[in-house]
C-alpha cells in the first residue's frame, strides 16, 4: 500500500499542532517563545504553561485554564481564544477526515458538522459581518497550511470532472478505475472532493490496495444510492458501508467547498481540505497538481478548471507547464470544444508538448505518463 503523504509531511518547526508536539517542544527547548500553538487543548498542561517561557508565542484556539492564560498573556504571548458556538474550528491544524465531517450521520446528514458549517455560512455570508468573514478567512488559511504540510514531497495528480456522474454507470466505473491506476502508480490522487466523477476517482484510489474485484463490488454496493439527491444521508451511508467493509484504503485528497452547499464531500478521500471560498479552493487544487491533471467530461465547472490550469501553463508562472489530459474526444471537440482552443493557446509554446486528448478513459494514465517523461 502506498504510504500516506502525511508520513512525509514536515510542518514548520515553530508550529505546534498536537499535545505530543507541545510536550516534545517543552521538553527539548524549555521555552514556547516564538512558537505557534494551533487548536491544541491545553487545559491539562497548566503546570507546563506556568513554568515555561512564552514571550512572543501565539496561541490559536487553545483552551487553557484562566491562571495559565493570564500568565502567558503577561509574558507577551498573543492568545486567540476558542470561538464559542461555531460548528467548525477556524484555527484547525489538520485537514478534515470523512468521519469528522460526517459525524452524527446516523441522525441524518443535516445534523453533521459538514451540514452545520454550511448552514452557518448561509446565515453569515449575506450580512457583511467582518467577524464572520475573518473567521472564514482564518479557517481557509489554516486548511491551506495543513494541505501544504501534508503534500510536501508528494507527486499529486488532479482528476477533474462533474458532480452529475451517477454511481452504477459505466462512466463512474471508468473514472474509478482511473483513480485506482493512478494511485497504484505511486501518485497521490486529488479531486474537487464532491460527488460524481470526483467521488469515483477518490473511490478508485481508496480501493487500490485491494484486488481488482473489490472495486466492482464497491461500485455495485454504491449503486443502490446512485446520487446525492434526493437523500445525502442515504448516499453517504452507502459510502461508509463500503469503507467499513474494506477499511484499509489508500490515501487520496478531496478539496471541496461549502460555497456549493448542495454538493456534499465524498467519504472516499482520506484527507479533505474543505474551504468556504471557492476561488481559494479552485486555485489550490490546480496549483498542487504538480504531476498533471486529467479532465473528464464535465460542464461549465470543468471548462473553467481547464483554462484555470492552462493560464499558468501558458505563462509558465508556476514554472514548467504540467501535463493536461482531456478525456473524450467528442465531448471536448464537439459538445464543448475546449480542446481546439487549448491547442491554439499551446501552439509554439512549451506547454504544447504537455497537452493530450484521448478518446477513452483507459488511455489517460498512459498519456499522462508520456507527458511526464
Amino acid at each position: 500500500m502506498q504510504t500516506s503523504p502525511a508520513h512525509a509531511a514536515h510542518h514548520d518547526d515553530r508550529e505546534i499542532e498536537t499535545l505530543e508536539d507541545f510536550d516534545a517542544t517543552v521538553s527539548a527547548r524549555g521555552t514556547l517563545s516564538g512558537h505557534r500553538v494551533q487548536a491544541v487543548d491545553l487545559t491539562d498542561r497548566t503546570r507546563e504553561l506556568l513554568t515555561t517561557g512564552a514571550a512572543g508565542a501565539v496561541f490559536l484556539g487553545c483552551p487553557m485554564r484562566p491562571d495559565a492564560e493570564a500568565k502567558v498573556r503577561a509574558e507577551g504571548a498573543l492568545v486567540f481564544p476558542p470561538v464559542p458556538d461555531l460548528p467548525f474550528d477556524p484555527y484547525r491544524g489538520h485537514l478534515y477526515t470523512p468521519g469528522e465531517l460526517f459525524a452524527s450521520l446516523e441522525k441524518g446528514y443535516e445534523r453533521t458538522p459538514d451540514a452545520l458549517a454550511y448552514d452557518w455560512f448561509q446565515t453569515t455570508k449575506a450580512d457583511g459581518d467582518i467577524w464572520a468573514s475573518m473567521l472564514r478567512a482564518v479557517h481557509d488559511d489554516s486548511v491551506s497550511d495543513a494541505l501544504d504540510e501534508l503534500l510536501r514531497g508528494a507527486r499529486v495528480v488532479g482528476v477533474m470532472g462533474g458532480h452529475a456522474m451517477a454511481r452504477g454507470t459505466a462512466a463512474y466505473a471508468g473514472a474509478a478505475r482511473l483513480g485506482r491506476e493512478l494511485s497504484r502508480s505511486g501518485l497521490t490522487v486529488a479531486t474537487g472532493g464532491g460527488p460524481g466523477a470526483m467521488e469515483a476517482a477518490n473511490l478508485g484510489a481508496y480501493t487500490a490496495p485491494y484486488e481488482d474485484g473489490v472495486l466492482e463490488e464497491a461500485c455495485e454496493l454504491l449503486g443502490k444510492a446512485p446520487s446525492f439527491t434526493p437523500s445525502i444521508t442515504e448516499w453517504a451511508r452507502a459510502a461508509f458501508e463500503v469503507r467499513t467493509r474494506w477499511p484499509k484504503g489508500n490515501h487520496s485528497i478531496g478539496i471541496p467547498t461549502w460555497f456549493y452547499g448542495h454538493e456534499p464531500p465524498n467519504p472516499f478521500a482520506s484527507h479533505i481540505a474543505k474551504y468556504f471560498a471557492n476561488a481559494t479552493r479552485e486555485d489550490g487544487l490546480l496549483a498542487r497538481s504538480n504531476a498533471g491533471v486529467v479532465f473528464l467530461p464535465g460542464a461549465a465547472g470543468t471548462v473553467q478548471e481547464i483554462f484555470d490550469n492552462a493560464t499558468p501553463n501558458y505563462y509558465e508562472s508556476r514554472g514548467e507547464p504540467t501535463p493536461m489530459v482531456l478525456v473524450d474526444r467528442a465531448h471536448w471537440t464537439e459538445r464543448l470544444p475546449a480542446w481546439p482552443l487549448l491547442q491554439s493557446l499551446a501552439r509554439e509554446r512549451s506547454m504544447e508538448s504537455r497537452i493530450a486528448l484521448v478518446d477513452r478513459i483507459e488511455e489517460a494514465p498512459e498519456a499522462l505518463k508520456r507527458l511526464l517523461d
Side-chain angles (χ1 to χ4, degrees):
M1 176 174 153
Q2 169 193 345
T3 56
S4 161
H7 295 167
H10 307 285
H11 60 65
D12 179 331
D13 63 5
R14 293 183 312 152
E15 287 182 15
I16 295 172
E17 296 170 349
T18 64
L19 267 181
E20 291 73 24
D21 284 351
F22 180 88
D23 292 341
T25 301
V26 169
S27 161
R29 303 198 178 180
T31 180
L32 293 165
S33 292
H35 284 76
R36 313 286 182 247
V37 193
Q38 209 173 332
V40 180
D41 188 339
L42 298 175
T43 46
D44 290 336
R45 293 296 185 272
T46 302
R47 184 173 57 82
E48 289 80 358
L49 289 168
L50 291 174
T51 56
T52 307
V58 179
F59 295 88
L60 297 161
C62 300
M64 59 180 88
R65 300 200 189 281
D67 49 342
E69 184 177 334
K71 181 261 185 188
V72 298
R73 281 186 191 275
E75 288 184 339
L78 275 176
V79 179
F80 293 79
V83 182
D85 305 322
L86 267 190
F88 62 94
D89 181 355
Y91 309 115
R92 58 180 305 114
H94 303 278
L95 298 185
Y96 293 98
T97 64
E100 190 180 356
L101 285 175
F102 284 101
S104 305
L105 181 65
E106 69 281 356
K107 296 175 188 161
Y109 170 72
E110 61 282 353
R111 303 287 292 278
T112 64
D114 187 62
L116 296 172
Y118 175 65
D119 291 344
W120 175 87
F121 182 34
Q122 285 300 97
T123 56
T124 59
K125 72 177 183 183
D127 60 13
D129 178 10
I130 183 67
W131 173 235
S133 59
M134 189 185 87
L135 290 172
R136 291 196 295 269
V138 169
H139 169 275
D140 285 3
D141 205 51
S142 299
V143 166
S144 288
D145 183 56
L147 187 59
D148 283 338
E149 288 168 6
L150 181 80
L151 293 179
R152 198 161 294 153
R155 294 177 72 236
V156 181
V157 60
V159 179
M160 309 295 157
H163 64 252
M165 185 186 283
R167 293 166 169 176
T169 61
Y172 184 97
R177 287 193 298 271
L178 170 68
R180 182 176 67 188
E181 187 161 343
L182 295 171
S183 187
R184 283 178 176 174
S185 72
L187 296 166
T188 297
V189 172
T191 77
M198 298 172 273
E199 180 187 62
N202 286 127
L203 168 67
Y206 184 86
T207 62
Y210 293 96
E211 58 189 38
D212 289 0
V214 165
L215 181 55
E216 287 165 35
E217 278 187 75
C219 284
E220 203 173 307
L221 272 174
L222 293 170
K224 66 187 183 188
S227 172
F228 61 96
T229 58
S231 169
I232 294 176
T233 304
E234 294 310 313
W235 174 86
R237 278 183 182 152
F240 280 102
E241 198 179 314
V242 169
R243 288 184 58 106
T244 302
R245 188 155 166 194
W246 296 285
K248 296 189 186 315
N250 238 4
H251 298 271
S252 68
I253 310 295
I255 307 184
T257 174
W258 279 294
F259 184 77
Y260 299 126
H262 64 279
E263 194 178 284
N266 81 72
F268 293 110
S270 54
H271 302 89
I272 300 174
K274 191 150 191 181
Y275 288 94
F276 288 106
N278 188 46
T280 310
R281 168 251 191 169
E282 290 277 3
D283 187 61
L285 175 52
L286 293 165
R288 289 173 178 86
S289 296
N290 55 12
V293 183
V294 178
F295 297 92
L296 302 178
T302 312
V303 172
Q304 180 182 341
E305 285 160 349
I306 289 172
F307 292 103
D308 278 349
N309 200 44
T311 303
N313 282 345
Y314 179 88
Y315 290 113
E316 298 189 41
S317 53
R318 292 185 189 135
E320 270 192 48
T322 50
M324 298 176 68
V325 178
L326 277 58
V327 175
D328 191 333
R329 189 175 300 274
H331 187 83
W332 294 122
T333 61
E334 295 162 27
R335 284 191 288 279
L336 295 173
W339 174 252
L341 178 51
L342 186 63
Q343 261 191 317
S344 301
L345 275 174
R347 196 160 292 128
E348 295 178 8
R349 301 185 80 88
S350 53
M351 71 181 278
E352 190 170 22
S353 62
R354 293 293 178 93
I355 63 171
L357 174 67
V358 298
D359 271 322
R360 295 162 53 250
I361 201 163
E362 289 74 19
E363 300 168 62
E366 186 53 45
L368 191 66
K369 190 168 177 294
R370 188 174 70 246
L371 298 180
L372 277 168
D373 288 345

